[in-house]
Amino acid sequence: MSNATLSPLPSVDRDVAGRLRDALLGASFTADGLLELLGAPAYAALARSETVPALRATRGDTPLEALVRLFLLQQPVPLARVAGVLPVDACLESGWLVAVGGDEVAAAVDVRPYGGADGKDWFIVSDLGCAVGGAGGIGSRNEEVVLGVGGASTTLAGITVRTPVAAALDLGTGSGIQALHAAQHATRVTATDLNPRALHMAALTLALSGAPEADLRQGSLFEPLRGDETFDLIVSNPPFVISPGARLTYRDGGMGGDDLCRSLVQGAGERLNAGGFAQFLANWQHVEGEDWQDRLRSWVARGCDAWIVQREVQDVTQYAELWLRDAGDHRADPAEYQARYDAWLEEFEARKVKAVGFGWITLRRTDSDEPSITVEEWPHPVEQPLGDTIRAHFRRLDHLRAHDDAALLAATYRLTAEVVQEQVGLPGAEDPEHVVLRQNRGMRRATKVDTVGAGFAGVCDGTLSAGRILDAIAQLMGEDPVLLRDRTPAQIRLLVEQGFLEPAE
């Protein structure tokens, strides 16, 4: 379909947006306000694009119910019901609202409350019916439709390192959620997108949320950047879907296989300032006869440390079905659905792809002569937000890189917060079969340790050096302290690398 099927967008008038924002906040049109009004089941249903529970919960006549029906449920509302709540004339003139029938108004865009950083109330603007990224059927209407916030968006926002920076870049900004987050800790935010409608929507999101304006540029990936522009933070939730052709702008990258994600990762290094982070969501191919971890290591730009975490793997049939449903193809003509499905499998077969991985990629620009690349599979639950956890990972990496075994034993460490010890063995046994250290925060890792490792970790409080602790353990166990010092640094390094211990200095 053509772009004419999409609603005209409101003008980016920051004065009108500010007045609208004040009105929405005054009526408690916020994430907390919606939860209180709708109740948890109906509120959760909205995140699945199911509107019936919310329709039932908004049959009253309060201002908040009217706003929910207007902006979230896309129902026409009598003009008289919102006249005392919103600056109706300004909203009609600027295009936030449109007149329908003789005495009703409707929303031109979806406006969804979003609980932002530090308890701030933000609003995400997206196309009508597209507030939830990845909801079935939305993409089939128009290839340039702009989605709201989905699971991928919130995942990326949660893993992003949040430290004050001078310049941040959001590649493929969409509705602007990553740029909105970045604006809270970056002096200057640049946001790019191939879709001009997305740039306009991002400007609306920033204006309605009361955030500073961003430098919005149209183009693919790094193309809109000038000369040698560099940044302290680069984030991207790119169109990473591996598909036969670029059918839907919001999800299909238009390059063969996983080339778009590879290009994004390889190109980020030269755009990062020293110590800067680049963080992406990505899909990658598992190709017959190739180690998927080696594939990803080859993507990492020179001069960058990397931490790549595979969160999920789907076989090619599961993957094709997921994205066919995303586009609503399962509700189309069965013959057309089968043809699209077959084309997807044909593409994978030609590339010898047996599965597709999904996960996070974090790069950090380093001046080390020996950059570190960690690629791992971690499908287990984690605790978001993870930005501080990721930043701490790279701090510990610097420490380990700068300390040989002698320096490691001279350093002091402390056990990180909320690490617990579990002893596993048969009931009544005198000694446990093994000891497990488990994190209750961050990545929530668990690792087996021997009695020395468990004892060492338990004593680490930042006061005694690692060497002195080992000497004391050797005395208690009747072991040779020299031999214990020789064989323990590898275990200490592992505990530091995985975040069970942190340098005390």
Side-chain angles (χ1 to χ4, degrees):
M1 294 185 180
S2 68
N3 288 345
T5 61
L6 292 173
S7 302
L9 294 178
S11 63
V12 186
D13 184 321
R14 293 186 73 89
D15 177 64
V16 174
R19 293 170 60 192
L20 175 56
R21 171 181 168 78
D22 289 343
L24 297 177
L25 293 176
S28 296
F29 187 71
T30 63
D32 289 343
L34 290 189
L35 181 59
E36 183 176 348
L37 170 68
L38 302 178
Y43 188 75
L46 278 178
R48 302 189 299 270
S49 289
E50 295 291 349
T51 59
V52 172
L55 285 167
R56 291 177 58 82
T58 55
R59 292 179 291 190
D61 58 1
T62 67
L64 180 56
E65 287 168 292
L67 294 180
V68 171
R69 284 186 162 256
L70 184 65
F71 287 115
L72 264 65
L73 305 178
Q74 280 91 59
Q75 300 292 309
V77 174
L79 177 62
R81 283 198 63 188
V82 296
V85 182
L86 301 177
V88 173
D89 290 342
C91 288
L92 285 168
E93 184 178 347
S94 61
W96 288 98
L97 300 177
V98 293
V100 293
D103 58 357
E104 291 186 319
V105 293
V109 288
D110 187 298
V111 176
R112 187 151 303 224
Y114 179 86
D118 300 324
K120 295 179 181 176
D121 291 305
W122 295 341
F123 300 96
I124 309 302
V125 185
S126 63
D127 272 310
L128 295 173
C130 300
V132 181
I138 50 180
S140 62
R141 295 207 303 267
N142 192 290
E143 66 174 16
E144 295 192 0
V145 71
V146 181
L147 305 191
V149 176
S153 302
T154 54
T155 294
L156 179 59
I159 68 171
T160 300
V161 174
R162 303 293 177 193
T163 54
V165 295
L169 171 64
D170 176 16
L171 289 170
T173 189
S175 60
I177 178 60
Q178 309 304 331
L180 179 56
H181 274 284
Q184 311 309 304
H185 62 102
T187 303
R188 175 172 57 87
V189 176
T190 301
T192 72
D193 205 289
L194 186 62
N195 183 1
R197 187 175 180 86
L199 295 175
H200 192 116
M201 206 75 81
L204 294 173
T205 290
L206 292 168
L208 192 58
S209 298
E213 295 181 56
D215 181 1
L216 303 172
R217 305 182 196 175
Q218 185 181 354
S220 177
L221 300 182
F222 299 100
E223 290 175 1
L225 303 186
R226 308 180 186 109
D228 57 354
E229 273 185 294
T230 55
F231 301 87
D232 306 296
L233 174 67
I234 300 174
V235 293
S236 184
N237 176 16
F240 53 64
V241 177
I242 300 171
S243 59
R247 182 170 155 225
L248 303 172
T249 305
Y250 73 87
R251 71 170 204 192
D252 300 324
M255 297 184 186
D258 52 17
D259 283 354
L260 182 133
C261 291
R262 176 183 54 79
S263 298
L264 187 62
V265 175
Q266 289 182 337
E270 63 183 5
R271 293 294 182 176
L272 279 177
N273 292 324
F277 286 92
Q279 299 186 265
F280 316 111
L281 301 185
N283 276 177
W284 43 79
Q285 298 172 150
H286 286 228
V287 180
E288 291 180 16
E290 177 185 82
D291 186 303
W292 68 270
Q293 294 185 335
D294 289 343
R295 182 182 190 86
L296 290 174
R297 288 188 184 95
S298 73
W299 288 8
V300 177
R302 295 185 63 183
C304 289
D305 293 322
W307 185 16
I308 301 173
V309 181
Q310 179 168 275
R311 296 287 290 158
E312 184 179 359
V313 182
Q314 291 184 319
D315 67 46
V316 292
T317 59
Q318 292 173 310
Y319 189 80
E321 290 162 14
L322 169 68
W323 295 109
L324 287 166
R325 287 191 175 93
D326 171 83
D329 292 323
H330 60 303
R331 294 197 291 266
D333 175 70
E336 183 179 345
Y337 173 80
Q338 291 179 10
R340 291 192 187 279
Y341 198 154
D342 188 65
W344 222 301
L345 296 185
E346 185 76 21
E347 178 84 3
F348 283 134
E349 185 176 335
R351 295 181 175 275
K352 298 183 178 180
V353 177
K354 58 184 180 179
V356 177
F358 167 81
W360 322 322
I361 298 177
T362 298
L363 308 179
R364 185 192 60 166
R365 189 75 186 180
T366 179
D367 57 5
S368 172
D369 295 331
E370 298 182 3
S372 169
I373 301 176
T374 300
V375 183
E376 64 175 320
E377 186 165 16
W378 190 255
H380 311 294
V382 299
E383 183 193 44
Q384 286 275 36
L386 276 171
D388 287 346
T389 297
I390 290 174
R391 185 161 59 103
H393 166 87
F394 288 95
R395 282 203 309 266
R396 295 194 305 272
L397 181 65
D398 286 339
H399 174 85
L400 292 174
R401 195 156 44 196
H403 287 67
D404 60 16
D405 285 356
L408 195 77
L409 294 175
T412 56
Y413 300 90
R414 64 168 58 93
L415 194 67
T416 52
E418 297 196 35
V419 171
V420 297
Q421 176 178 305
E422 300 173 359
Q423 297 188 168
V424 181
L426 293 173
E430 185 175 342
D431 296 311
E433 293 178 15
H434 57 260
V435 178
V436 174
L437 297 182
R438 187 179 301 278
Q439 301 168 350
N440 287 324
R441 306 294 302 272
M443 292 294 286
R444 292 179 171 164
R445 296 187 189 276
T447 189
K448 288 183 183 180
V449 292
D450 60 19
T451 53
V452 172
F456 178 85
V459 175
C460 284
D461 62 2
T463 57
L464 295 176
S465 71
R468 290 185 64 188
I469 293 173
L470 290 180
D471 290 344
I473 291 174
Q475 185 174 5
L476 286 172
M477 297 179 66
E479 288 201 30
D480 185 333
V482 175
L483 293 178
L484 194 61
R485 279 174 172 256
D486 284 344
R487 68 179 173 86
T488 308
Q491 190 169 192
I492 296 174
R493 286 185 183 278
L494 180 65
L495 292 174
V496 173
E497 180 183 343
Q498 294 191 343
F500 292 92
L501 298 175
E502 59 184 8
E505 61 269 16

